[in-house]
Amino acid sequence: MKVKIMTLGCKVNQYESEAMKELFIQKNYEITEDDYADFYIVNTCTVTQMSDRKSRSFIRKSKKTNPNSVVAVVGCYPQVSKDKVTEIEEADVILGTQDRKQIVEIMEESYKSKKRIISVKEYSKDSEFENLSLRDNEGRTRAYIKIQEGCNMFCTYCIIPYARGPVRSRDFDSIIKEAIDLRNNGYKEVVLTGIHASSYGIDKKEKYRLIDIIEEVGKIEGIERIRLSSLEPRIITEEFLNRLIKVDKFCESFHLSLQSGSSEILKKMNRKYDYDLYKEKIELIRKYYENPGITTDIIVGFPGESEENFLESKKAIEEIEFTKVHLFKYSRRRGTPAAEFENQIDPKIKNERLKVLEEVSKKAQNKIYSKQIGRLEEVLVEKFEDGKNYGYSKNYSHVKIISNENLEGKIVSVIIEDTINDTLITSKII
Ligand code: SF4
């Protein structure tokens, strides 16, 4: 029997899809990339209206390809919009962001009984971390480890706390065990990821925090690099960085979501910092690390964003010189406070603002990339193609190494010679 899994959205979703794949493989199912399958799983995202639309289209397309298949819809979309998803006739199995550990059994049951199964559970403060562990990731060099689930921050624009429930941290020992399993399967780099990784441990009696995981994974022989997914700016303190800098394997790339350069808008977003505090945190990182990669997310067109507020975001990009800015247009999500805010911004203005920020971030990025010319960088090569090796430096810059030797899976020291767009280029291997 063939299973096809389609994944939308974030790294956590990708991780969970990989974990579901493993569950099917253990039961001798074949995972396929082809259009035709017996079981389809659409692992949805609901962060924007566009993601909902994409999920609906995947669901319908799957059933059309094989009318006798079982189509399962799982993840954030059914969790927050169960009724809407239930209206889609083609969906045979509907699960939220829980119970995915039983996905194989549930789909088999629906297949045998030809009946629809709907199981979307409400979250409560007693909800537990669903341990969907992974021993193998899709790529050959970098593996993700999910360390927590859920978020208690309730930013006014964000649907995630409703889709993923409250913070639930995975057991410390289970995280370390997964890191060892991944190392045993040949992975050199791990990325500690979660919905709000900075909150790791706040729901547990044991005193382990994110930094304790980083230190412990850092001791595992064979794991050579550790990365982090998005961080909450307030986690960056002298104490945190003092411990982090001692973990040689930590790769100095930090993703700190700013969302807006305007403190007024940040307050309306219910972010727990203002722009000055954010800037201080970046300065602190740069005090500890000489050449860190600093990436961020910015939303344009949040309700009430004036021209002046928008220009503050533009200024922030120029001032901070991010390695990369992920730009988003504000998307009104029913059920979130901001969806009801007055002064929703005209889509035309959102588009114009987005364009301006795209230009500004590109310039900032080019500036920061050209500063890396002449630097010695260690690159973990992920792909070899036509005499070129591609990988990432410790600060997560994309690097192209021109060499006929296949260096895939190796960590190579190079001197950066040039930069084109968002790639560093070199043929100088040390
Ligand atoms: S911190 Fe804010 S934006 Fe991030 S997941 Fe939580 S509520 Fe959403």
Side-chain angles (χ1 to χ4, degrees), residues 232-271:
E232 150 77 38
R234 289 174 306 155
I235 201 173
I236 305 294
T237 59
E238 291 270 4
E239 195 206 333
F240 181 82
L241 291 169
N242 246 316
R243 289 175 67 179
L244 193 63
I245 194 107
K246 294 189 188 107
V247 182
D248 288 347
K249 295 174 180 177
F250 173 72
C251 292
E252 55 269 35
S253 75
F254 296 84
H255 184 83
L256 260 64
S257 283
L258 171 61
Q259 306 299 15
S260 171
S262 153
S263 297
E264 189 190 328
I265 295 292
L266 288 172
K267 203 162 173 208
K268 288 186 183 161
M269 288 176 163
N270 193 29
R271 302 290 288 178

Side-chain angles (χ1 to χ4, degrees), residues 12 16 46 75-76 79-80 96-98 100 120-130 146 148-155 158-169 194-196 199 202-203:
V12 173
E16 289 164 350
T46 192
C76 294
Q79 186 69 41
V80 296
T97 47
Q98 299 172 79
R100 287 154 305 172
V120 180
K121 291 184 186 148
E122 296 278 314
Y123 277 108
S124 73
K125 60 176 179 19
D126 302 322
S127 302
E128 287 189 357
F129 182 85
E130 187 182 27
K146 184 176 163 190
Q148 67 80 236
E149 174 65 276
C151 178
N152 299 348
M153 305 302 280
F154 291 94
C155 299
C158 183
I159 196 79
I160 288 174
Y162 311 92
R164 294 277 178 172
V167 169
R168 282 103 68 210
S169 304
I195 296 293
H196 198 255
S199 291
I202 62 163
D203 56 322

Side-chain angles (χ1 to χ4, degrees), residues 97-361:
T97 47
Q98 299 172 79
D99 283 345
R100 287 154 305 172
K101 234 183 153 165
Q102 283 84 45
I103 185 86
V104 184
E105 292 75 19
I106 295 174
M107 289 188 79
E108 284 174 344
E109 195 187 323
S110 168
Y111 182 74
K112 279 183 209 139
S113 64
K114 303 263 174 275
K115 282 201 181 120
R116 195 175 212 205
I117 300 176
I118 301 176
S119 169
V120 180
K121 291 184 186 148
E122 296 278 314
Y123 277 108
S124 73
K125 60 176 179 19
D126 302 322
S127 302
E128 287 189 357
F129 182 85
E130 187 182 27
N131 208 343
L132 273 170
S133 57
L134 254 194
R135 261 172 291 151
D136 222 344
N137 265 221
E138 215 174 35
R140 268 161 285 179
T141 48
R142 185 184 318 132
Y144 289 84
I145 304 179
K146 184 176 163 190
I147 62 165
Q148 67 80 236
E149 174 65 276
C151 178
N152 299 348
M153 305 302 280
F154 291 94
C155 299
T156 55
Y157 53 85
C158 183
I159 196 79
I160 288 174
Y162 311 92
R164 294 277 178 172
V167 169
R168 282 103 68 210
S169 304
R170 182 171 178 180
D171 281 339
F172 185 80
D173 292 345
S174 142
I175 297 170
I176 305 307
K177 184 181 173 304
E178 185 161 307
I180 294 170
D181 284 346
L182 289 165
R183 184 274 318 268
N184 292 345
N185 281 337
Y187 290 95
K188 288 200 166 89
E189 182 173 305
V190 293
V191 187
L192 304 176
T193 189
I195 296 293
H196 198 255
S198 307
S199 291
Y200 180 83
I202 62 163
D203 56 322
K204 293 240 178 222
K205 282 197 205 91
E206 305 92 349
K207 287 278 171 271
Y208 294 122
R209 291 290 185 264
L210 178 62
I211 188 69
D212 298 299
I213 305 174
I214 302 169
E215 287 175 342
E216 200 58 30
V217 174
K219 290 180 197 156
I220 302 173
E221 221 176 288
I223 299 263
E224 294 181 34
R225 289 178 158 202
I226 304 167
R227 293 191 187 279
L228 302 175
S229 63
S230 187
L231 289 180
E232 150 77 38
R234 289 174 306 155
I235 201 173
I236 305 294
T237 59
E238 291 270 4
E239 195 206 333
F240 181 82
L241 291 169
N242 246 316
R243 289 175 67 179
L244 193 63
I245 194 107
K246 294 189 188 107
V247 182
D248 288 347
K249 295 174 180 177
F250 173 72
C251 292
E252 55 269 35
S253 75
F254 296 84
H255 184 83
L256 260 64
S257 283
L258 171 61
Q259 306 299 15
S260 171
S262 153
S263 297
E264 189 190 328
I265 295 292
L266 288 172
K267 203 162 173 208
K268 288 186 183 161
M269 288 176 163
N270 193 29
R271 302 290 288 178
K272 313 286 189 304
Y273 53 85
D274 61 13
Y275 179 59
D276 289 341
L277 182 71
Y278 182 91
K279 224 169 75 180
E280 260 174 43
K281 301 297 184 186
I282 302 293
E283 279 158 17
L284 205 54
I285 293 173
R286 287 185 168 142
K287 184 176 131 190
Y288 279 80
Y289 292 95
E290 195 201 331
N291 185 33
I294 298 188
T295 56
T296 200
D297 305 309
I298 290 185
I299 296 173
V300 291
F302 185 78
E305 184 190 67
S306 64
E307 184 65 17
E308 197 189 336
N309 299 144
F310 162 69
L311 291 175
E312 286 173 299
S313 288
K314 180 170 172 264
K315 187 169 155 238
I317 298 176
E318 290 164 339
E319 208 162 53
I320 292 177
E321 294 189 348
F322 292 104
T323 325
K324 179 142 189 90
V325 183
H326 301 269
L327 294 163
F328 302 90
K329 283 184 278 183
Y330 168 72
S331 173
R332 205 171 178 175
R333 304 309 289 143
R334 222 164 4 115
T336 62
E340 307 306 322
F341 286 0
E342 285 177 0
N343 297 326
Q344 297 284 330
I345 306 295
D346 189 314
K348 231 177 93 190
I349 297 180
K350 282 189 206 167
N351 281 334
E352 284 164 15
R353 290 183 178 170
L354 187 80
K355 263 199 196 138
V356 174
L357 293 198
E358 274 170 359
E359 277 304 302
V360 178
S361 15

